[in-house]
Amino acid sequence: MSHQLTIEPLGQTIDIEEGQTILDAALRAGIYLPHACGHGLCGSCKVQVTDGDIEHGDASGFALMDYEREEGLCLACCATVESDVVVEAEIDEEPDALNLLVQDFAGTVSRIEDLTPTIKGVWIALDTPLTFQAGQYINLHIPGEGSTRAFSIASAPAQKTEIELNIRRVPGGMGTGWVHDQLRAGERVKIVGPYGRFFLRESAHLAQDLGYLFLAGGSGLSSPRSMVLDLLANGCTRPITLVNGARCRAELYHHAEFVQLAQQHANFNYIAALSNEPEDSDWDGARGFVHEAAKAHFNNDFRGHKAYLCGPPLMIDACITTLMQGRLFERDIYTEKFISAADAQQVRSPLFRKI
């Protein structure tokens, strides 16, 4: 049985199936609702129900307080409808967003490669092309769990029929454990996507003549790699800088590719920084953390750029602090957020809406 879901202030009405979440119905109709974790933990997808009946689902009591439920608020990623429903959401206009429909895709694992001791590269040949924006992610179905895990797409958008995922093993993680220990080339897999609002704000770069600054750590390199490849393939001539961090040389991947790209494109600068490389090794690149390498390269002055950050929460926090100290502020800083239950409990300043 289906119902009607009306989303204000857009005034759009779409069909929503029984058991389907408000967020899923909206995304599959090409309507973006703000969200982050997708599992009822962070509260980013909070919307106001102005008419109709809903079921709250697995919304965390921390992310959605009892008094908020009484006031008619719900989390779109968990809430399902029991009648025709009208909701009101805060939807920011993004001129560079393609607002692509979220869809189901099937494919075959074409290749698996050890990129580092803890990160595998997984290539999936899709039965039908996937259109996405550089920086977006997909959800990969995990057999036996009946659930999905989110992974950024590391390949360029021009490669619509085969995507690359860089998947780091999370200690104790069932999803990443399955990828690392059981998944094999030739197996069939299912994905859903594309998801995410982490994409290039190209209109602002063009209008204000701003450069691109990418700060990445570990498997957080996935989205910046897709973005850099997309920019270079499309003939971008504005300055592009990628600062990529890892603990040691063994954990640094796609390094040779970026070195070669920097040699081929005069406007692309690549800086690799190792934070725990043995002092007696032959590494002649930057040492220290990503934010330290960026600060040194730009002499603590990041004006004239928009920055895109991907990596562990501690890295992102350190980078945000450094960027702001170097005269870059919230309007020019974008982060990719995958939020765990532990992350959802962290208190962030209400002064920042985007980061």
Side-chain angles (χ1 to χ4, degrees):
M1 180 180 178
S2 66
H3 295 287
Q4 297 286 295
L5 171 64
T6 301
I7 300 173
E8 299 292 356
L10 300 179
Q12 290 185 244
T13 299
I14 61 176
D15 291 331
I16 181 169
E17 301 297 326
E18 184 176 354
Q20 185 179 24
T21 66
I22 291 173
L23 179 61
D24 185 66
L27 295 177
R28 288 179 182 272
I31 300 171
Y32 178 79
L33 296 182
H35 65 282
C37 75
H39 301 288
L41 299 172
C42 69
S44 299
C45 63
K46 202 171 291 180
V47 297
Q48 178 75 52
V49 180
T50 60
D51 189 37
D53 300 314
I54 61 102
E55 167 58 45
H56 285 286
D58 295 329
S60 160
F62 176 85
L64 186 69
M65 303 293 187
D66 288 342
Y67 77 88
E68 293 179 305
R69 298 172 193 240
E70 294 172 1
E71 292 175 355
L73 294 169
C74 73
L75 300 186
C77 71
C78 295
T80 57
V81 305
E82 297 180 331
S83 67
D84 291 348
V85 166
V86 179
V87 300
E88 190 169 307
E90 291 187 20
I91 302 175
D92 295 328
E93 289 189 17
E94 290 280 7
D96 297 296
L98 295 184
N99 294 320
L100 300 165
L101 275 65
V102 169
Q103 301 179 68
D104 299 300
F105 295 85
T108 302
V109 177
S110 54
R111 178 161 58 108
I112 298 180
E113 178 182 331
D114 289 327
L115 300 177
T116 77
T118 59
I119 299 174
K120 284 189 181 290
V122 178
W123 284 260
I124 301 173
L126 300 171
D127 296 350
T128 55
L130 167 64
T131 299
F132 66 96
Q133 287 187 268
Q136 291 192 295
Y137 68 93
I138 56 88
N139 282 339
L140 175 66
H141 283 271
I142 308 301
E145 281 196 38
S147 63
T148 62
R149 296 293 186 276
F151 299 111
S152 296
I153 304 172
S155 45
Q159 298 173 253
K160 298 178 184 294
T161 56
E162 185 179 54
I163 61 171
E164 176 186 346
L165 308 176
N166 301 156
I167 300 176
R168 179 179 68 87
R169 181 193 287 274
V170 176
M174 295 183 65
T176 61
W178 169 74
V179 170
H180 278 253
D181 298 332
Q182 299 180 47
L183 186 63
R184 297 291 183 268
E187 290 190 31
R188 297 285 291 171
V189 292
K190 296 179 180 179
I191 67 169
V192 186
Y195 291 101
R197 284 304 242 207
F198 190 66
F199 53 82
L200 297 166
R201 270 60 181 186
E202 297 190 60
S203 59
H205 284 275
L206 181 62
Q208 303 172 44
D209 194 26
L210 300 175
Y212 297 86
L213 172 58
F214 300 98
L215 305 179
S219 60
L221 179 62
S222 298
S223 290
R225 178 175 183 262
S226 179
M227 290 169 156
V228 168
L229 293 177
D230 191 37
L231 286 169
L232 295 177
N234 288 319
C236 175
T237 57
R238 287 184 294 282
I240 304 169
T241 302
L242 168 63
V243 184
N244 179 31
R247 285 176 51 82
C248 60
R249 184 66 183 85
E251 295 180 3
L252 187 66
Y253 68 100
H254 287 322
H255 177 66
E257 175 189 45
F258 288 120
V259 169
Q260 184 177 20
L261 287 172
Q263 294 171 347
Q264 295 172 344
H265 301 272
N267 64 317
F268 176 52
N269 289 307
Y270 169 61
I271 301 143
L274 303 182
S275 62
N276 199 32
E277 177 72 2
E279 290 295 334
D280 58 354
S281 77
D282 61 357
W283 174 252
D284 60 358
R287 291 176 180 267
F289 295 104
V290 171
H291 66 283
E292 296 170 332
K295 182 177 181 178
H297 180 77
F298 286 95
N299 195 26
N300 198 33
D301 187 350
F302 300 101
R303 288 175 295 178
H305 294 82
K306 280 189 177 290
Y308 302 84
L309 283 54
C310 277
L314 288 176
M315 185 216 90
I316 289 180
D317 288 343
C319 287
I320 290 172
T321 299
T322 298
L323 291 171
M324 289 187 167
Q325 290 172 345
R327 304 182 185 182
L328 206 65
F329 302 102
E330 185 189 9
R331 66 179 180 273
D332 291 320
I333 301 174
Y334 303 92
T335 65
E336 183 179 43
K337 301 176 183 178
F338 291 144
I339 299 178
S340 68
D343 296 328
Q345 307 304 315
Q346 297 179 1
V347 177
R348 298 198 67 89
S349 170
L351 295 174
F352 302 119
R353 297 186 62 216
K354 295 198 285 95
I355 59 178

